[in-house]
Amino acid sequence: MSGQSTTTAGPVPATRERTTLSEHIVEIVSDSGEGAQKAGQSFGAISAKMGNGVWTVEIIPSDIQPPPRTKESASGIRIRIGSGVVSNAGDEANIVVAFNEIAPYSRIEQGAYQKGTKILLESMWASHDDEEVRENYARAVADFKRLGFEVYEIPMQEECLKVVPDARRGKNMWVLGLLCQLYNRDIEIAADQIRHTFRKKSQQVVDVNLQLLQGGFEWAGKHLDFLYDLPPTLGEIDQVVMNGNEALSLGVIASGIEVCSMYPITPATSASHHLAECFERAGGLVHQAEDEIAAIGFAIGSSYSGKPAVTITSGPGLALKTEFIGLAVMAEVPLVIIDVQRGGPSTGMPTKVEQSDLLAVLYGQPGDTPKIVLAPSTIEECFQFVILARQIAEAFRTPVFVLTDSNLATGVQPFARPKPRKEWFAPPIDQSPWPQGLNPYEWEPSNGISKRPIPGQRGGEFTVTGLNHNKEGRVSYLPEVNQRSSTMRSRKLAAFARTLKPPRIHGDDQGDLLVVGWGSTRGAIEEAVDRARAEGIAVSSLHLRFMSPFEPELKQIFSRFKNVVTAEINYSDAVDDEFVPAEHRRYAQLAWVLRARTLVDIGCFSNVHGQPMRPKSILDAIRTITQPQNA
Amino acid sequence: MYGLKPDPCVLEVPDKYYSTGDYEKGVARWCPGCGDHSVLSAVQRLCQEKQLPPEKTVFVSGIGCSSRFPHYMKTYGFHGLHGRAFPVAEGVKFRRPDLNVFVVTGDGDCLSIGAGHWIHSIRYNMNLTVLLFDNQIYGMTKKQTSPTSPMGTISNTHPHGSVLPPINPVQSTLGVANVSFVAQTADWIPGHLYATIKAAHEHQGFSFVKIMMRCTKFLPEQAKQMVGDKEHMTLLQHPDGIEVDMATANLFKHTVQHDPKDINKAREYSEDPDMFYLGLYYQDKTAPRYDLYGAHNLGATPEQKLQVLEEEFDKFAV
Ligand SMILES: Cc1ncc(C[n+]2csc(CCOP(=O)(O)OP(=O)(O)O)c2C)c(N)n1
Ligand SMILES: [Mg+2]
């Protein structure tokens, strides 16, 4: 680092070379409350506006009030930017901006950095009054160097104090300026972003933050001996940028649903927070029930009365809803159930990602409970699939699940601004008299669908019951009646499956290996497949969005590959576990179902690290699996 | 299915005159002498007197003998899960102010498995008419101890007598925040039963009616004893209370004047170990109602929804 003083401001000298990149990963880590996340979100928004691909994800501290300057208190944000579309959070970070020397440690433990990662470290701690702090700092710098990171000590505090009296508030915007310089961002777009962020604050606040931005921008221009360029290729289209839970929330409004009945649970709750802010103006309401059982019961009551409803939850809440899910299937009440999956079983890891509710959703209720299950794989699909789910729920008179996870819930990605249509809002409610002589469960034999009477419809009066019933809705335990009603409920799935197209294959439609995934892992899997293909490996991938019923022709597709494995974030016994005989191996959840469905010997690559899958780990798995064939 | 129709929730003037037969469906399969039969008759009579349109009337129940009730009403019905009638009924009422919603629940259904929902439903204070069929036993599953079984009750789960004091539903309900209507009646005094259900239906809010029921099948001695016991039964009377005819009033040996606004006195009566008080314990017509909140923003137009979405997209726009 050069140690010159900063007296003049101005553009980067023309002599400075910028290294052109196709993509990069930046992390900003700090104690919670220092604004790292705001800086990162702004940086992502500025980049998206310029036409770059972006994926951001927050790094959340594990405790609610952790003591400052501890590993537990590390919070922050990861921003991955690319010239083109970015579909996942990627592998190790390239640049880390650290507000103190302790914050990087927990990320290092999680393998988030690698040799050569540049750590831009706040240097104020080197001259702190407390000797222990100074020693800590020196030790950390030595640790980081020993681990192969490049450390750049940066006087953030000192520089910020030139603009503000309290640098703890404001450092984040200075860092934003630094990053804008580092990645050749358009400073005017950055300034606009600041004006937008602080639009509800006074002009003075806006000005101070603009000065901080400019300060960081200029400082980096003069002092950093490396600068990058990340030329955008996506062009300027109308985009929105949000996380998956916000997308779900807007999907709820766009779907015409009027009631969201929920009980708070991480990581699903933030969807209801957003909804609570704007739903009311759109004629909807969030009902916070006394527990998850009541939440789904309330939603069922609402939907039964002709007011479309959704219930949003996560694993432990899903467990409580079990009996009502069975009732909704049995009584044929349309309903949208969103499960934002987290680590399990039991209370598990509330803030960590897992995809381990698939089997619970498919088979978790006593008795036969056929249902339709969708799994969005992008933030945009979180929005679209809620709309789709409500339409399917009503068309097929059945509960429909939308399975997302905390990776989608917290991941932020830009996507084309949706164009909502009025038809999406149409209420199901039909209050014209019920056709005379029509039964409440007049199942159409070919598809199991029947027309549903709604309270208020004269002539449609009948009693919903969770007891087995015949087409007249009357309780019956006769063998042939129970067989018939079960068949009719099941037939809806077959009918729905007939409307689906075979899934698109990413890569060639034959080869040595097919990687099958579902949900939030899509970006990482496809990226890993692209890299492997560039290495000459004959691998493709396939991402399922319909988990029940599956999209058609899976068996035919699988038959064209020598090997098929799923990549999933849930538990499986390691294939080489010396204590687990092969015949007792427990597979990952999608693998179980696909094996049963297709009778293909499908393997799986899975873990329960609680982390989004990284492209690199999938790439390693691809290499290992295909190695014998390559050799 | 997705045709754009205006919100239909508007009150209609009935164009048909209903007789009690218009509310009757099938043959009730309760034991002969079971108290459930008399409640069914009283409710059918109420529907007829109030001319409730069958299509605008919903009976929601849980599981139990008593919860079979909706099957015998020619209205809409929802015979759901054991203990979960309240959440379903609340969901039905939340956005449908035009519907008359009744809840039928048993002592096990309401006070044991559904106890959490019961407490919260009192607090929500939605306009629901709640009929608690308290037969002090689990009938459907054949004589297990219920939360209201008197201590010492011989049952299949306590063959040597139950060992805990019972829950007192009237007392407990009176202890919950936002309680708005609590009454007690008995299945074997039809005049009082009818008057009480009628008052409950007329109350705009959560009206909780505990009905003392005979289970002639599993607790025949108790049933006989209750019906004959005039010594331990007192009629609550007040101009603001539940009005009964002279003949009904004359059935009571004891009467007492009780102002249903007086919650302390109501609690005192509910806790009296030697006396059952029939009538209106408590009424508060001003308690906040959650169903009014639920209905306050009904009928948003597609244009309004579009506008909110566009505003939100603007916020997230880059
Ligand atoms: C989840 C669940 N647990 C248990 C049962 C079995 N069960 C059905 S009715 C009932 C008790 C009913 O007693 P009560 O509510 O007093 O109604 P009654 O039959 O006396 O009218 C029980 C335990 C059930 N149906 N569902
Ligand atoms: Mg009972």
Side-chain angles (χ1 to χ4, degrees):
Chain A
M1 294 297 310
S2 72
Q4 295 161 6
S5 66
T6 54
T7 43
T8 53
V12 182
T15 50
R16 300 285 293 278
E17 284 284 318
R18 283 187 180 269
T19 311
T20 302
L21 308 166
S22 60
E23 63 119 333
H24 235 211
I25 297 171
V26 183
E27 284 196 2
I28 310 173
V29 289
S30 69
D31 272 344
S32 42
E34 291 187 303
Q37 293 171 345
K38 189 174 257 178
Q41 282 152 1
S42 304
F43 183 60
I46 293 161
S47 299
K49 207 169 275 182
M50 289 178 65
N52 289 94
V54 184
W55 182 284
T56 61
V57 62
E58 288 176 2
I59 300 159
I60 300 164
S62 32
D63 288 331
I64 292 175
Q65 280 296 359
R69 287 179 47 81
T70 57
K71 269 197 229 171
E72 293 71 38
S73 72
S75 94
I77 187 161
R78 163 178 282 223
I79 314 104
R80 189 181 187 199
I81 28 174
S83 280
V85 172
V86 176
S87 64
N88 66 92
D91 297 315
E92 293 89 355
N94 304 98
I95 296 283
V96 177
V97 181
F99 285 26
N100 66 53
E101 79 287 359
I102 297 162
Y105 276 106
S106 62
R107 300 293 295 155
I108 292 170
E109 281 172 8
Q110 289 164 13
Y113 310 150
Q114 65 182 350
K115 278 194 173 51
T117 295
K118 292 182 166 64
I119 300 186
L120 278 52
L121 184 61
E122 160 69 279
S123 62
M124 63 178 277
W125 312 103
S127 52
H128 197 270
D129 292 343
D130 187 340
E131 190 186 334
E132 204 185 317
V133 172
R134 294 198 299 274
E135 280 172 10
N136 261 336
Y137 180 84
R139 203 176 315 124
V141 171
D143 277 350
F144 297 162
K145 288 184 175 159
R146 189 170 40 75
L147 289 166
F149 309 139
E150 293 174 23
V151 181
Y152 295 82
E153 295 176 68
I154 296 184
M156 302 181 195
Q157 170 96 352
E158 196 183 313
E159 288 298 319
C160 290
L161 286 176
K162 294 175 183 171
V163 182
V164 281
D166 175 10
R168 203 182 135 81
R169 307 164 120 245
K171 200 179 280 182
N172 60 341
M173 289 298 124
W174 190 87
V175 164
L176 177 63
L178 176 146
L179 289 172
C180 286
Q181 179 67 270
L182 181 55
Y183 290 99
N184 206 18
R185 304 291 85 184
D186 184 329
I187 193 71
E188 263 320 301
I189 293 183
D192 280 346
Q193 181 65 32
I194 286 197
R195 288 186 199 103
H196 178 76
T197 307
F198 296 100
R199 65 191 180 282
K200 287 185 182 146
K201 298 279 164 64
S202 69
Q203 186 59 40
Q204 198 194 346
V205 172
V206 174
D207 289 343
V208 166
N209 281 288
L210 286 171
Q211 274 172 288
L212 287 162
L213 175 83
Q214 191 67 24
F217 189 80
E218 288 171 6
W219 188 92
K222 295 176 132 223
H223 296 88
L224 287 185
D225 56 10
F226 54 95
L227 292 175
Y228 305 123
D229 196 12
L230 248 164
T233 61
L234 296 179
E236 284 195 23
I237 48 161
D238 241 0
Q239 289 190 108
V240 287
V241 56
M242 64 183 76
N243 68 36
N245 274 3
E246 288 158 342
L248 287 175
S249 160
L250 290 174
V252 167
I253 299 176
S255 72
I257 284 171
E258 277 192 30
V259 172
C260 167
S261 177
M262 51 73 73
Y263 185 81
I265 186 165
T266 305
T269 319
S270 68
S272 319
H273 290 181
H274 179 258
L275 206 47
E277 275 175 31
C278 51
F279 204 15
E280 206 165 328
R281 281 181 288 126
L285 283 175
V286 174
H287 168 61
Q288 180 180 334
E290 60 269 26
D291 59 36
E292 281 94 345
I293 301 177
I296 185 173
F298 194 101
I300 288 174
S302 173
S303 174
Y304 158 77
S305 81
K307 301 292 184 175
V310 62
T311 185
I312 306 186
T313 192
S314 190
L318 177 74
L320 284 180
K321 292 176 196 293
T322 304
E323 194 186 7
F324 260 127
I325 294 169
L327 176 69
V329 171
M330 178 62 128
E332 305 190 42
V333 180
L335 183 65
V336 178
I337 303 168
I338 300 176
D339 175 14
V340 185
Q341 300 166 96
R342 65 188 218 179
S346 189
T347 310
M349 299 198 289
T351 59
K352 304 292 179 194
V353 64
E354 224 169 84
Q355 300 178 302
S356 40
D357 295 351
L358 177 62
L359 294 180
V361 162
L362 292 178
Y363 309 120
Q365 301 77 40
D368 184 51
T369 50
K371 60 187 86 73
I372 293 168
V373 183
L374 316 180
S377 67
T378 61
I379 310 292
E380 185 176 14
E381 284 176 0
C382 288
F383 173 79
Q384 293 164 338
F385 279 25
V386 183
I387 302 162
L388 181 62
R390 186 210 144 191
Q391 290 173 347
I392 300 170
E394 268 156 28
F396 287 83
R397 198 178 173 183
T398 186
V400 175
F401 281 80
V402 178
L403 269 177
T404 74
D405 62 41
S406 58
N407 190 23
L408 286 169
T410 57
V412 177
Q413 191 188 29
F415 59 91
R417 182 178 172 128
K419 296 190 176 58
R421 300 224 306 267
K422 282 186 194 171
E423 301 88 84
W424 295 348
F425 307 135
I429 198 155
D430 176 356
Q431 302 283 264
S432 55
W434 182 255
Q436 235 191 347
L438 184 64
N439 287 308
Y441 296 97
E442 192 70 59
W443 296 297
E444 157 59 38
S446 67
N447 57 24
I449 295 174
S450 53
K451 189 172 150 68
R452 161 171 86 113
I454 293 171
Q457 263 188 300
R458 179 169 295 180
E461 298 87 357
F462 82 111
T463 293
V464 161
T465 175
L467 291 163
N468 186 57
H469 45 267
N470 57 17
K471 65 180 179 181
E472 288 96 25
R474 281 203 210 99
V475 176
S476 167
Y477 303 153
L478 290 174
E480 63 279 9
V481 172
N482 196 45
Q483 186 71 39
R484 167 101 181 140
S485 57
S486 299
T487 305
M488 288 299 110
R489 292 189 296 268
S490 183
R491 197 151 286 172
K492 293 192 241 183
L493 261 62
F496 180 64
R498 289 199 295 272
T499 70
L500 299 177
K501 292 197 199 80
R504 196 181 55 83
I505 296 168
H506 181 80
D508 292 339
D509 65 1
Q510 56 181 18
D512 290 338
L513 176 64
L514 180 72
V515 181
V516 186
W518 62 286
S520 71
T521 51
R522 174 169 154 216
I525 291 174
E526 293 185 354
E527 185 172 329
V529 164
D530 290 344
R531 288 200 227 164
R533 292 175 65 81
E535 290 175 12
I537 300 174
V539 59
S540 301
S541 66
L542 180 154
H543 217 73
L544 295 171
R545 281 147 170 109
F546 295 90
M547 312 308 291
S548 168
F550 281 135
E551 289 132 283
E553 294 179 23
L554 294 184
K555 189 165 184 160
Q556 292 92 311
I557 294 171
F558 294 170
S559 71
R560 298 195 293 266
F561 291 86
K562 288 192 194 137
N563 232 324
V564 182
V565 296
T566 65
E568 307 175 60
I569 313 175
N570 56 51
Y571 184 78
S572 63
D573 289 328
V575 72
D576 54 359
D577 188 326
E578 59 174 315
F579 302 109
V580 180
E583 64 173 330
H584 287 298
R585 182 179 180 210
R586 296 175 64 240
Y587 287 80
Q589 301 201 358
L590 175 62
W592 274 127
V593 187
L594 285 177
R595 289 171 69 88
R597 271 268 147 209
T598 61
L599 296 181
V600 174
D601 187 9
I602 292 165
C604 55
F605 165 66
S606 84
N607 64 50
V608 283
H609 297 166
Q611 302 290 325
M613 267 197 178
R614 294 195 186 144
K616 205 174 184 175
S617 66
I618 302 168
L619 177 59
D620 284 344
I622 292 173
R623 287 187 187 129
T624 312
I625 295 163
T626 52
Q627 212 169 18
Q629 286 148 8
N630 292 347
Chain B
M1 184 169 298
Y2 298 112
L4 282 174
K5 293 211 180 73
D7 201 295
C9 299
V10 283
L11 281 172
E12 284 165 16
V13 185
D15 52 354
K16 181 175 189 300
Y17 186 79
Y18 301 105
S19 64
T20 37
D22 287 324
Y23 301 98
E24 290 167 8
K25 188 169 79 185
V27 183
R29 300 245 180 90
W30 291 307
C31 306
C34 171
D36 296 8
H37 293 287
S38 32
V39 185
L40 181 62
S41 312
V43 168
Q44 284 164 343
R45 191 180 141 203
L46 174 79
C47 289
Q48 192 276 334
E49 188 185 306
K50 295 282 176 188
Q51 286 293 298
L52 303 183
E55 74 273 16
K56 294 251 184 195
T57 305
V58 187
F59 284 82
V60 181
S61 66
I63 297 288
C65 295
S66 38
S67 290
R68 286 286 180 128
F69 194 96
H71 288 283
Y72 310 128
M73 293 296 302
K74 214 182 204 169
T75 62
Y76 279 90
F78 197 112
H79 178 209
L81 299 180
H82 190 32
R84 317 294 172 199
F86 287 118
V88 172
E90 289 153 11
V92 173
K93 186 69 192 175
F94 196 48
R95 308 280 286 175
R96 290 296 304 270
D98 58 321
L99 297 179
N100 306 292
V101 185
F102 292 78
V103 175
V104 178
T105 179
D107 40 324
D109 199 63
C110 176
L111 311 169
S112 188
I113 189 168
H117 307 311
W118 161 50
I119 299 298
H120 284 274
S121 62
I122 299 163
R123 181 168 164 250
Y124 290 132
N125 190 33
M126 298 176 78
N127 193 11
L128 303 172
T129 308
V130 180
L131 308 176
L132 168 61
F133 288 42
D134 184 5
N135 60 0
Q136 308 183 335
I137 198 77
Y138 284 12
M140 183 101 226
T141 44
K142 305 205 169 19
K143 201 178 186 184
Q144 295 84 21
T145 308
S146 116
T148 55
S149 302
M151 200 151 143
T153 298
I154 307 282
S155 77
N156 284 319
T157 41
H158 294 99
H160 308 297
S162 65
V163 294
L164 290 172
I167 282 178
N168 177 335
V170 171
Q171 175 204 33
S172 303
T173 303
L174 285 168
V176 177
N178 214 30
V179 56
S180 81
F181 183 104
V182 184
Q184 177 160 259
T185 184
D187 81 76
W188 59 91
I189 312 175
H192 194 267
L193 176 69
Y194 178 72
T196 306
I197 295 176
K198 179 163 166 256
H201 172 71
E202 285 165 0
H203 173 70
Q204 300 296 299
F206 185 87
S207 27
F208 183 82
V209 182
K210 179 196 146 183
I211 310 175
M212 300 168 68
M213 307 285 285
R214 291 159 296 167
C215 180
T216 44
K217 171 94 178 160
F218 295 122
L219 297 174
E221 289 309 311
Q222 217 159 297
K224 222 180 284 162
Q225 195 263 330
M226 281 199 299
V227 174
D229 187 359
K230 296 204 168 151
E231 231 17 88
H232 296 98
M233 205 160 265
T234 298
L235 179 66
L236 295 174
Q237 283 195 309
H238 193 271
D240 293 335
I242 292 166
E243 205 185 322
V244 291
D245 54 45
M246 281 298 277
T248 303
N250 285 339
L251 294 172
F252 289 84
K253 199 165 162 195
H254 310 291
T255 62
V256 63
Q257 283 293 312
H258 168 64
D259 180 352
K261 280 193 275 303
D262 187 346
I263 196 160
N264 293 321
K265 203 76 194 158
R267 286 177 179 152
E268 205 176 291
Y269 288 141
S270 76
E271 286 164 16
D272 188 337
D274 302 317
M275 189 64 76
F276 285 108
Y277 296 85
L278 298 202
L280 182 58
Y281 279 73
Y282 182 66
Q283 183 172 26
D284 176 1
K285 296 179 183 173
T286 65
R289 272 168 57 191
Y290 194 57
D291 55 328
L292 295 184
Y293 169 72
H296 86 274
N297 64 343
L298 283 171
T301 62
E303 287 72 22
Q304 277 170 305
K305 295 183 189 207
L306 272 184
Q307 194 191 333
V308 170
L309 279 173
E310 294 300 348
E311 281 167 15
E312 286 304 307
F313 290 142
D314 285 345
K315 273 191 214 156
F316 289 106
V318 292

